[in-house]
């Protein structure tokens, strides 16, 4: 199978925070891979902008090192890196002062798409937006790309949206949630809305419950000062997990177009019921053989921030009334494994009697690693000895099904940056979506703060605290195993 490359128009992309971690790990190597694949058209340029004093050559060296370290395994023709580096330059720019802005303006061309990537602390978003405007860099067609966290709560998200709205229209603002750029996440929509098989069963009548797990093996080391002010709820649930929940639960949009999709996602968020605090389990990893505890990582022996959360939610609408959605995410867990599992109800009547046992169809969509899907189907256990049933997975690993092409799929950032250049906002969060998500999470966070809730300690390398298992057990259900 040959993947289709849809060319984009030549562009000027300015990366504020161009020397930062995200730029080095994701943005620049991602752009290089797009260049290698031939998608970055001739006449495009990348301008790094940050406070550090660097010459063009010094910045190019930094880009070259970043590509060597994080570039990924794609074969590129010899000499490609040099050609790529010729498109790169650097301007020392002060987000809070006037230095560098005139020079930056001088680099912009009229006939190309202009995009400004804010890969900086959110406290600088307003300064950058205002200066882009004041120094005449922002044209009516320019785009700004913003990284999370998008606010710390509803009030700050609203303030940020209002600040940006002074200088940019909503159609120019691209709020990145990199989970939406993941291949399997988009596949979720293809599976739901491209097949006849699943959608008729995709509702409370046939679905017993849905589990969403995003498990990580890494701790918070190195990011402790940011993370300790956020915790798993703000860092993962309010954005990534809620986006997954929206895609699983939303009604079919009339078209695969930005506002059609985002309107449906917004309806899901607005239909989420407040969560009873008995249905939330917060955890914090303790010390283990191969690493310090959370509290040591964040250098606060009394920290009450959660590095794990499990919760049961309900969506109040016709499709999902009564069907629980269990969400779980955490750091320093047993495996890096993210999946969405749709667990269907038992057959209404078993003609095979009690000995046949209890069997359920489960559609599991694996986000990472080994992207793919499995559908557990109940069949007869082979051999003589009566009618015993067994569940076997119909397994579709994308790597097996699509061959080497599956290895070549662009990483989330590559895809999303190309969407920015194309002007396609479908996979980006709209301002009202972000606000609605905060409106749902704020009372939960305020609730545990008011109760002085202390997260339960869990062993690193485990599946999280015992109480998270109990959350399911109490309902006669169980979590799927966290395994890579
Ligand atoms: C980020 C969070 O948004 O997503 C991190 O801030 C987390 O804490 C990361 O580790 C997970 O992303 P991925 O793509 O590795 O699953």
């Amino acid at each position: 199978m040959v993947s289709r490359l849809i060319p984009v128009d030549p562009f000027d992309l300015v990366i504020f925070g161009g020397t930062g971690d995200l730029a080095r790990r994701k943005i620049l190597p991602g752009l290089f891979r797009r260049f290698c694949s031939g998608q970055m058209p001739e006449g495009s340029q990348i301008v790094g902008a940050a406070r550090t004093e660097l010459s063009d050559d010094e910045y190019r060296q930094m880009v070259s090192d970043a590509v060597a370290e994080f570039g990924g395994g794609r074969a590129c023709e010899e000499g490609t890196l040099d050609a790529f580096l010729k498109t790169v330059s650097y301007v020392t720019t002060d987000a809070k002062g006037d230095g560098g802005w005139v020079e930056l303006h001088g680099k912009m061309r009229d006939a190309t798409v202009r995009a400004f990537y804010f890969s900086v602390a959110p406290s600088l978003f307003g300064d950058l937006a205002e200066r882009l405007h004041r120094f005449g860099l922002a044209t009516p067609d320019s785009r700004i790309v913003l990284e999370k966290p998008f606010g710390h709560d509803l009030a700050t998200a609203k303030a940020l949206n209002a600040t940006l709205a002074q200088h940019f229209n909503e159609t120019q603002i691209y709020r990145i949630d990199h989970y939406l750029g993941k291949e399997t996440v988009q596949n979720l929509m293809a599976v739901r809305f491209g097949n006849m098989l699943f959608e008729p069963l995709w509702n409370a009548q046939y679905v017993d419950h849905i589990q969403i797990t995003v498990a990580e093996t890494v701790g918070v080391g190195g990011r402790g000062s940011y993370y300790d002010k956020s915790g798993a709820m703000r860092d993962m649930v309010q954005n990534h997990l809620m986006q997954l929940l929206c895609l699983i639960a939303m009604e079919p949009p009339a078209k695969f177009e930005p506002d059609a999709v985002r309107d449906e996602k917004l309806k899901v968020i607005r239909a989420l019921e407040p969560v009873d605090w008995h249905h939330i389990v917060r955890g914090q990893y303790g010390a283990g053989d191969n690493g310090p505890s959370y509290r040591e990582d964040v250098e606060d022996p009394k920290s009450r921030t959660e590095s794990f959360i499990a919760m049961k939610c309900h969506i109040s609408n016709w499709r999902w009334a009564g069907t629980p959605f269990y969400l779980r995410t955490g750091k320093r867990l047993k495996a890096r494994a993210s999946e969405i599992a749709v667990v269907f109800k038992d057959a209404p009547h078993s003609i095979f009697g009690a000995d046949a046992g209890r069997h359920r169809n489960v559609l599991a969509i694996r986000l990472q690693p080994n992207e793919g899907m499995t559908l557990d189907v109940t069949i007869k256990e082979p051999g003589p000895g009566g009618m015993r049933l067994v569940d076997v997975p119909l397994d579709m690993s994308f790597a097996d099904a699509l061959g080497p092409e599956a290895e070549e799929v662009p990483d989330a950032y590559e895809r999303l940056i190309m969407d920015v250049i194309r002007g396609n906002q479908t996979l980006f969060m709209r301002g009202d979506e972000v606000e609605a998500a905060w409106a749902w999470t704020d009372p939960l966070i305020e609730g545990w703060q008011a109760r002085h809730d202390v997260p339960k300690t869990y062993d690193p390398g485990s599946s999280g605290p015992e109480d998270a298992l109990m959350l399911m057990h109490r309902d006669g259900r169980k979590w799927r195993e966290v395994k890579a």
Side-chain angles (χ1 to χ4, degrees):
M1 194 179 303
V2 178
S3 63
R4 249 182 337 129
L5 200 68
I6 305 172
V8 297
D9 292 332
F11 58 86
D12 289 348
L13 173 66
V14 178
I15 308 171
F16 294 109
T19 54
D21 200 49
L22 183 73
R24 289 191 317 106
R25 278 174 186 276
K26 294 287 184 187
I27 305 172
L28 293 161
L31 285 162
F32 174 61
R33 289 192 293 265
R34 291 294 88 210
F35 185 86
C36 278
S37 69
Q39 201 176 20
M40 186 172 147
E42 229 167 277
S44 300
Q45 64 160 338
I46 298 162
V47 185
R51 244 184 357 186
T52 320
E53 297 270 352
L54 288 179
S55 66
D56 283 343
D57 281 343
E58 284 168 327
Y59 188 63
R60 287 185 189 120
Q61 185 58 50
M62 196 214 84
V63 176
S64 164
D65 294 345
V67 167
E69 194 175 350
F70 304 109
R74 237 162 284 188
C76 242
E77 280 170 34
E78 216 170 304
T80 316
L81 181 59
D82 287 341
F84 174 70
L85 293 176
K86 287 202 181 97
T87 70
V88 175
S89 63
Y90 183 80
V91 179
T92 307
T93 313
D94 185 359
K96 284 193 162 297
D98 292 347
W101 289 93
V102 174
E103 196 187 333
L104 207 50
H105 184 262
K107 283 190 172 277
M108 300 292 103
R109 285 123 0 123
D110 286 339
T112 49
V113 173
R114 261 183 222 184
F116 301 97
Y117 201 124
F118 292 11
S119 177
V120 295
S123 54
L124 297 177
F125 288 178
D127 295 307
L128 290 177
E130 188 268 324
R131 282 175 177 74
L132 283 174
H133 196 71
R134 175 148 58 89
F135 287 92
L137 277 87
T139 58
D141 189 42
S142 295
R143 289 127 216 205
I144 55 171
V145 186
L146 311 173
E147 271 298 325
K148 76 177 247 287
F150 200 83
H152 189 69
D153 51 22
L154 179 58
T156 47
K158 274 188 168 167
L160 199 47
N161 278 336
T163 306
L164 296 174
Q166 287 171 15
H167 308 291
F168 293 93
N169 297 324
E170 184 61 34
T171 53
Q172 297 178 282
I173 304 174
Y174 290 71
R175 295 175 193 80
I176 282 210
D177 184 312
H178 78 278
Y179 266 60
L180 290 178
K182 290 185 190 274
E183 183 70 10
T184 329
V185 175
Q186 292 167 65
N187 236 319
L188 193 59
M189 285 188 274
V191 167
R192 278 195 65 190
F193 305 129
N195 293 287
M196 191 55 206
L197 203 56
F198 301 112
E199 201 48 28
L201 306 179
W202 212 264
N203 55 51
Q205 198 183 342
Y206 296 103
V207 174
D208 177 73
H209 72 278
I210 289 176
Q211 302 185 14
I212 303 180
T213 298
V214 177
E216 297 184 275
T217 48
V218 291
V220 299
R223 298 169 72 220
S225 61
Y226 149 76
Y227 193 92
D228 203 40
K229 289 188 218 82
S230 302
M233 187 65 156
R234 289 189 168 101
D235 185 54
M236 296 294 287
V237 177
Q238 188 272 347
N239 37 76
H240 306 324
L241 274 84
M242 283 192 68
Q243 289 296 322
L244 298 180
L245 176 77
C246 286
L247 297 181
I248 275 281
M250 71 184 185
E251 295 301 316
K255 289 194 171 131
F256 189 58
E257 285 181 358
D259 280 335
V261 171
R262 298 185 302 176
D263 285 347
E264 295 306 334
K265 288 199 296 169
L266 180 62
K267 286 184 207 160
V268 173
I269 304 175
R270 290 193 172 148
L272 274 166
E273 286 177 16
V275 181
D276 183 319
W277 68 270
H278 292 105
H279 296 158
I280 302 182
V281 176
R282 297 168 67 235
Q284 203 182 63
Y285 57 83
D289 292 343
N290 53 0
S293 68
Y294 176 84
R295 289 178 173 185
E296 285 164 326
D297 268 345
V298 302
E299 296 174 5
D300 177 358
K302 293 196 179 130
S303 171
R304 290 207 201 125
T305 305
E306 76 286 353
S307 60
F308 173 98
I309 197 157
M311 59 201 293
K312 176 163 91 162
C313 328
H314 282 280
I315 298 172
S316 287
N317 63 18
W318 271 56
R319 188 187 279 265
W320 294 117
T323 304
F325 286 72
Y326 297 92
L327 314 184
R328 163 177 72 155
T329 182
K331 301 218 180 269
R332 296 289 309 275
L333 297 178
K334 201 165 160 180
R336 178 173 186 255
S338 303
E339 70 159 32
I340 300 168
V342 181
V343 181
F344 290 91
K345 288 189 172 167
D346 296 353
H349 166 69
S350 171
I351 63 169
F352 305 109
D355 287 352
R358 186 180 185 195
H359 297 273
R360 286 188 157 175
N361 300 123
V362 179
L363 175 68
I365 300 145
R366 282 193 311 272
L367 267 53
Q368 57 199 25
N370 317 321
E371 289 102 329
M373 290 192 325
T374 53
L375 176 63
D376 288 352
V377 177
T378 306
I379 61 164
K380 177 188 170 300
E381 199 176 284
M387 188 59 120
R388 286 189 310 271
L389 302 183
V390 62
D391 294 334
V392 291
L394 290 179
D395 197 340
M396 193 182 92
S397 145
F398 294 154
D400 292 348
L402 306 177
E405 286 288 322
E407 310 273 314
E408 299 286 313
V409 292
D411 130 292
Y413 277 93
E414 291 172 53
R415 176 193 315 273
L416 293 173
I417 294 171
M418 289 301 111
D419 278 357
V420 171
I421 306 301
R422 279 192 203 101
N424 184 347
Q425 288 186 306
T426 310
L427 300 175
F428 295 83
M429 293 180 296
R430 210 167 51 192
D432 51 3
E433 256 184 274
V434 176
E435 289 182 14
W438 282 122
W440 182 69
T441 49
D442 272 4
L444 310 180
I445 297 171
E446 284 156 13
W448 69 60
Q449 283 169 346
R451 286 194 312 277
H452 303 290
D453 186 78
V454 180
K456 307 273 186 271
T457 306
Y458 61 92
D459 291 335
S462 68
S463 321
E466 263 311 281
D467 290 28
L469 305 182
M470 289 312 295
L471 181 73
M472 280 276 207
H473 279 236
R474 276 201 303 266
D475 294 348
R477 301 185 174 106
K478 66 177 198 237
W479 291 104
R480 286 164 60 82
E481 202 188 330
V482 176
K483 59 175 186 211

